[in-house]
Amino acid sequence: MRTPGSVTKQAILVAARERFAADGYERATIRAIAADASIDPAMVIRYFGSKEKLFAAAADFQLLLPDVGTLPREELGARLVGHFLTRWQEDETLLALLRAGATNDAAAARLREIFADQVGPVVARLVPDPREAARRAGLVATQILGFALCRYALKLPPVVALSDAEVLGWLGPTVQRYLLGD
Amino acid sequence: MRTPGSVTKQAILVAARERFAADGYERATIRAIAADASIDPAMVIRYFGSKEKLFAAAADFQLLLPDVGTLPREELGARLVGHFLTRWQEDETLLALLRAGATNDAAAARLREIFADQVGPVVARLVPDPREAARRAGLVATQILGFALCRYALKLPPVVALSDAEVLGWLGPTVQRYLLGD
DNA sequence: GAGTCTAGACAACACTTGTTGACCAGACCG
DNA sequence: CGGTCTGGTCAACAAGTGTTGTCTAGACTC
């Protein structure tokens, strides 16, 4: 049972994520998104109310972090980096959030929310003290988001050139230390 | 001997950096910059030709990295992190570049340039092989820019809450390893 | 078959953007 | 004094923005 209209609504969401990821919030125009979805700009407003609400709908994102209980404790850093790596490549929503978050406050708030709600609890299961867990989660964020920024947004050549294995080898120990070290 | 006109030109540049740092490239309007500098928008164009050229002029930035030859080898990471930390706080140009670079290609190119021209050579003096030096410089960039992104742009609470000493303690070893480790 | 409802198209609105050109005041130089 | 140059204001332009209202075609219900 497919709800009618949801097909174009989904098409709009896909186009919106693409545009937001490629251009950021301000430069991604409703007209361009509508054109990508082969539809009239008015329909975008009809379905989502406004550009802000469209972004909010498009920015709904799940990190799908693995259960840290089942992972070997010494490999946590590398595993997490690997998870982020694939998650980043298979879903451009994160890039949209990152690009938009640099200039748009709602997007930044959404990113804060994601890290608080989805990364925080995972780290909290490793570190008892909630204050320290939050700090460690924040440190992980600096490395993960920084890597994504340099590779996918700024496209720094040496960072783009890294193989997945090299990324694991370099960032893995860093994240491992931020999670459990010292 | 002060060249006349340079005073307002400087005022425009200051206002431009502020706006670009606060709002990013697209949302920082020439009108707002002109208003901050208490001047007519037309003058901004008169002095700089276009918004793009204004940004290019405002984004002229020197990292002023210390001479790594004079620093103790074991403290390199912490020293570099400390230098970036103060440099970031005393000059908002870097934040302007970061915010704009997330969505604007010219700004991203400028950031790539800065890291290639200013960070690259420093690392090259520590690492003989130029390819490996570039890779290590890129890794440093992921951590430094990621930290700045989370603290100054996204304002992740746990990252904002870190004291300077804590930042040195956590990021120092990471940068140290990226520079000389493994 | 008449009536209703929905997806969609089209044009338009009000506004903001970067940018341009015409005009003006004053300083400076002969 | 007359002329020129500099720093500046003002109003306007063309283009692009998000958003709204009006209309149409078709499907579905009674």
Side-chain angles (χ1 to χ4, degrees):
Chain A
M1 55 153 225
R2 62 197 166 96
T3 56
S6 78
V7 41
T8 56
K9 196 167 179 178
Q10 287 302 318
I12 295 174
L13 277 177
V14 169
R17 288 200 191 96
E18 254 173 57
R19 283 288 177 177
F20 284 132
D23 300 335
Y25 183 80
E26 355 278 343
R27 286 183 42 208
T29 71
I30 285 194
R31 281 173 167 84
I33 293 169
D36 285 3
S38 312
I39 216 172
D40 192 273
M43 291 308 294
V44 177
I45 300 289
R46 268 261 229 274
Y47 274 118
F48 294 95
S50 71
K51 186 182 180 181
E52 272 190 40
K53 290 179 190 165
L54 168 64
F55 181 81
D60 184 28
F61 180 77
Q62 303 301 321
L63 277 178
L64 304 177
L65 289 176
D67 182 10
V68 290
T70 70
L71 296 177
R73 205 173 169 83
E74 311 80 34
E75 295 181 20
L76 271 178
R79 293 292 185 97
L80 240 84
V81 172
H83 180 81
F84 272 107
L85 210 52
T86 62
R87 202 75 191 84
W88 216 287
Q89 282 160 0
E90 71 192 5
D91 191 337
E92 56 196 344
T93 310
L94 254 182
L95 181 55
L97 270 165
L98 180 64
R99 275 235 163 84
T103 51
N104 184 279
D105 210 40
R110 184 83 190 88
L111 266 176
R112 285 194 292 269
E113 205 179 300
I114 287 178
F115 263 82
D117 295 354
Q118 301 185 37
V119 181
V122 170
V123 180
R125 203 176 307 176
L126 301 169
V127 182
D129 179 27
R131 252 189 89 72
E132 201 198 331
R135 179 167 48 221
R136 289 177 182 271
L139 286 165
V140 171
T142 67
Q143 179 59 92
I144 297 292
L145 290 181
F147 171 76
L149 175 78
C150 291
R151 170 174 264 199
Y152 301 113
L154 301 180
K155 296 191 168 65
L156 292 188
V159 180
V160 175
L162 290 171
S163 71
D164 284 13
E166 286 173 316
V167 174
L168 288 188
W170 283 107
L171 300 200
T174 298
V175 173
Q176 179 80 20
R177 189 169 67 88
Y178 289 164
L179 286 175
L180 299 167
D182 255 348
Chain B
M1 58 151 225
R2 61 199 167 97
T3 55
S6 77
V7 41
T8 56
K9 195 167 179 177
Q10 287 302 318
I12 295 174
L13 276 177
V14 169
R17 280 192 263 261
E18 253 173 56
R19 284 287 177 178
F20 284 132
D23 300 335
Y25 184 80
E26 356 278 343
R27 286 183 42 208
T29 71
I30 285 194
R31 280 172 168 83
I33 293 169
D36 285 3
S38 313
I39 217 173
D40 192 273
M43 290 310 293
V44 178
I45 300 289
R46 266 261 232 276
Y47 274 118
F48 294 94
S50 71
K51 187 181 180 181
E52 271 190 40
K53 290 178 190 165
L54 168 64
F55 181 80
D60 184 30
F61 180 76
Q62 303 301 320
L63 276 177
L64 304 178
L65 288 177
D67 181 11
V68 290
T70 70
L71 296 177
R73 205 174 168 82
E74 312 80 33
E75 295 181 18
L76 271 178
R79 293 292 185 96
L80 239 83
V81 172
H83 179 81
F84 273 106
L85 209 53
T86 62
R87 202 75 192 84
W88 216 288
Q89 282 159 2
E90 71 192 6
D91 190 338
E92 56 196 345
T93 310
L94 254 182
L95 180 56
L97 270 165
L98 180 63
R99 275 233 163 86
T103 51
N104 184 279
D105 210 40
R110 185 82 189 87
L111 266 176
R112 285 193 292 268
E113 204 179 301
I114 287 178
F115 263 83
D117 295 353
Q118 302 185 37
V119 181
V122 170
V123 180
R125 203 174 310 176
L126 300 168
V127 182
D129 179 27
R131 251 189 91 71
E132 201 197 333
R135 179 167 48 222
R136 288 177 183 272
L139 287 165
V140 171
T142 66
Q143 179 59 93
I144 297 291
L145 290 181
F147 172 75
L149 175 78
C150 291
R151 169 174 266 198
Y152 301 113
L154 301 180
K155 296 193 168 66
L156 291 187
V159 180
V160 174
L162 291 171
S163 72
D164 284 12
E166 286 174 315
V167 173
L168 288 189
W170 283 106
L171 301 200
T174 298
V175 172
Q176 179 81 21
R177 189 169 68 88
Y178 289 164
L179 285 175
L180 298 167
D182 254 348

